[in-house]
Amino acid sequence: MKIIIILTLLLFSLQYSHADAYCSLRDPVAQIQQLYPQKTNQRSIVKTVDSSTRNLVKLALPSNDLHFSELGRHTLYVAMKNTQALGYVHVRSEQSKWGLVEIIWALDKDLKIKDFTFQRCRSPKKKILDNEDFRNVFIGKSYEELKTLLSSDGKTANKILLDRAKGAPELASVVLRCALKTLLITDLLWGEELKKFNP
Amino acid sequence: MRKSKAFKKKIMRIVSAIFIFFSVPSYADFSDNLRVSLDGSARLNNNIAENNTSRIYALGLDTHKVFSSANGDIGYAVGQLYLTKLSNQTPYSSLFNSPDDKQFVIREAHLNYTAGPQWLPNIRVGHFTLPFGLEASIDTNGRLLDYYHGKKLGTKLDWGVGFNKVLSQVQYEFSYTMGGKNEPKTINSSYVFSGRIGSLSHLDFIIGLSFLDAKIDNIQRKRFAIDWQYYWQTWGLLGEIAFGKDDKFQKEWQEEKYSLLELNKTSINEQLKFYGQYIFTDREGESKNQQLINLGVRYQIDAEFELSLSSRKQLNTPESGKKQNLIRLQLRYRY
């Protein structure tokens, strides 16, 4: 009887699930250290990406959708130097013809791109990230600024970005879509809570 | 029966303690940084070689909770408690008392303290997967896809303490556990000392070295292993080679060699995964080695439902004359 009561109480906190068991969750510790070398720790804030978030993404970025693995409980990391917040880290996936591309985004406290790196990218063109011209298009940009880099189909990058992508147009569009969704979802779900780190 | 009741009481105490711990007001809301999923599965096993059909049902809760302070994360807890029911299952695991038994089973249940200084390893306490080989970086709990941890090492999970850390180029985990498998105690001086050091687990090429020194079920085991994973676009090539020795009868060491090779292919949206495994085991004192082929497919229907099918066949005829021939089907639901 006791166990039924406890299980019932726990069931009340059920949220959108994740297809993999939770023991497989790994924090991107090495990558956060790479993006914020001066950090002493990170602070996790877990929120639920649900169907209403998905609909808001579809509304803001027509022709785009979230992969099913993007639904469920997701973590935003606040990079900390002792008690001071240095910025945020958010990992998001984007479908590509090479499977899911996972990108780790470092955001500043005004929710602009500070830096980024691949967590997983199995494209033969992944060295695109070594191209400073390409990276610099993203760094320091907000959601609104990056949205101007989308072409009229709402999915592919426009000429400004493609000129800097040098032979990797598909991957450039994947990175752009991932950046836009990351900034949008971060603001939608975590924006209010993050204000306390940027008074 | 008495053992079963005592075990259930123990589980109740653990669950209650975790629940009370999570409910303490100083940790803010109960749901802060908490993941909870209901996880249910039904598995049908058709053992053609033994002319036997069996079923395994599991229903449980999978939980993950991150604890934080003003300075950042302190650590996290994982708790997985499942009611598991067998139906005509032979052979059955030592966790059960009959082919139709049902038991509460703890899969993973551990705390990992991560708030130490950079030079200090994280400290894990509880019931966790032994850090050895491929299984250490690929979770297969509740899935048909398996890397044969339990069969090779005597157990897949055990109660104890571990030290782990992800550094800029390598990650490692070492653990000392009690060898009681599902029970937090030593049995006949059982123990397991195991560890793995490898390259970072998010890379396209991952390589790891593992060791194990253990006494479980009165069998002494020593193992060394090398494992690797290589991913190219939507293909994966995985392998593990382990060698060592077992001592079942006190000072009569028997050498054992084991290798696993897996080729897998995932669809670009990751809903479909095909895999094929070749497993080779050679034990000193046995006239024949064992060669198995595993073929499987996993279809993630949506975020909640997953359908898996696998077929295991033995290539060479063992001394008993009966080649393994097993087909398994599983439907899993997570919410």
Side-chain angles (χ1 to χ4, degrees), chain B residues 154-269:
Chain B
T155 187
K156 180 175 176 178
L157 300 129
D158 201 13
W159 288 93
V161 61
F163 301 94
N164 59 87
K165 194 86 173 179
V166 177
L167 303 170
S168 59
Q169 301 296 327
V170 295
Q171 59 188 67
Y172 66 84
E173 175 143 16
F174 300 101
S175 71
Y176 183 84
T177 57
M178 293 186 280
K181 299 182 186 179
N182 210 42
E183 296 187 50
K185 63 179 183 183
T186 57
I187 300 169
N188 296 330
S189 311
S190 61
Y191 71 93
V192 182
F193 185 39
S194 60
R196 181 182 180 275
I197 182 163
S199 52
L200 300 179
S201 62
H202 67 276
L203 300 175
D204 289 349
F205 180 64
I206 304 155
I207 189 159
L209 295 170
S210 308
F211 74 90
L212 174 125
D213 179 5
K215 185 184 175 193
I216 303 176
D217 297 333
N218 287 319
I219 300 173
Q220 194 91 34
R221 290 180 175 87
K222 292 181 191 296
R223 294 282 188 281
F224 287 97
I226 180 166
D227 65 87
W228 68 90
Q229 298 166 57
Y230 176 67
Y231 298 99
W232 182 77
Q233 299 194 9
T234 52
W235 293 88
L237 183 64
L238 287 65
E240 182 176 327
I241 296 173
F243 52 91
K245 51 191 181 180
D246 291 356
D247 181 2
K248 292 180 187 170
F249 309 106
Q250 306 295 313
K251 296 186 181 173
E252 280 187 41
W253 289 100
Q254 291 177 306
E255 289 191 1
E256 178 169 321
K257 298 184 195 82
Y258 163 89
S259 63
L260 179 147
L261 194 64
E262 176 183 309
L263 180 67
N264 65 51
K265 162 80 177 157
T266 312
S267 63
I268 59 168
N269 62 6

Side-chain angles (χ1 to χ4, degrees), chain A residues 30-44:
Chain A
Q31 297 94 318
I32 298 174
Q33 188 72 50
Q34 182 191 334
L35 293 166
Y36 289 97
Q38 68 276 46
K39 71 117 186 172
T40 52
N41 199 353
Q42 69 264 347
R43 184 169 171 184
S44 301

Side-chain angles (χ1 to χ4, degrees), chain B residues 79-139:
Chain B
Q80 300 172 335
L81 179 67
Y82 287 75
L83 177 62
T84 306
K85 165 86 176 83
L86 307 182
S87 174
N88 198 32
Q89 177 64 33
T90 52
Y92 51 86
S93 150
S94 59
L95 301 175
F96 299 92
N97 300 316
S98 75
D100 297 295
D101 195 13
K102 62 173 180 291
Q103 294 285 345
F104 279 103
V105 175
I106 296 176
R107 292 183 184 170
E108 303 261 351
H110 54 85
L111 289 159
N112 196 26
Y113 173 77
T114 61
Q118 294 286 349
W119 56 268
L120 189 74
N122 303 328
I123 302 165
R124 194 188 307 281
V125 180
H127 193 234
F128 51 84
T129 302
L130 296 178
F132 187 95
L134 281 174
E135 185 73 42
S137 53
I138 303 172
D139 169 67

Side-chain angles (χ1 to χ4, degrees), chain A residues 127-140:
Chain A
K127 286 197 181 294
I128 191 176
L129 283 202
D130 297 337
N131 177 351
E132 286 297 319
D133 264 3
F134 177 75
R135 295 175 70 85
N136 287 338
V137 177
F138 291 87
I139 290 169

Side-chain angles (χ1 to χ4, degrees), chain A residues 18 22 44 67 73 120 126, chain B residues 34 73 204 269-270 334:
Chain A
H18 193 266
Y22 293 136
S44 301
H67 186 265
R73 302 279 278 167
R120 184 188 120 168
K126 65 182 171 190
Chain B
L34 174 72
D73 293 344
D204 289 349
N269 62 6
E270 308 240 333
R334 281 176 63 84

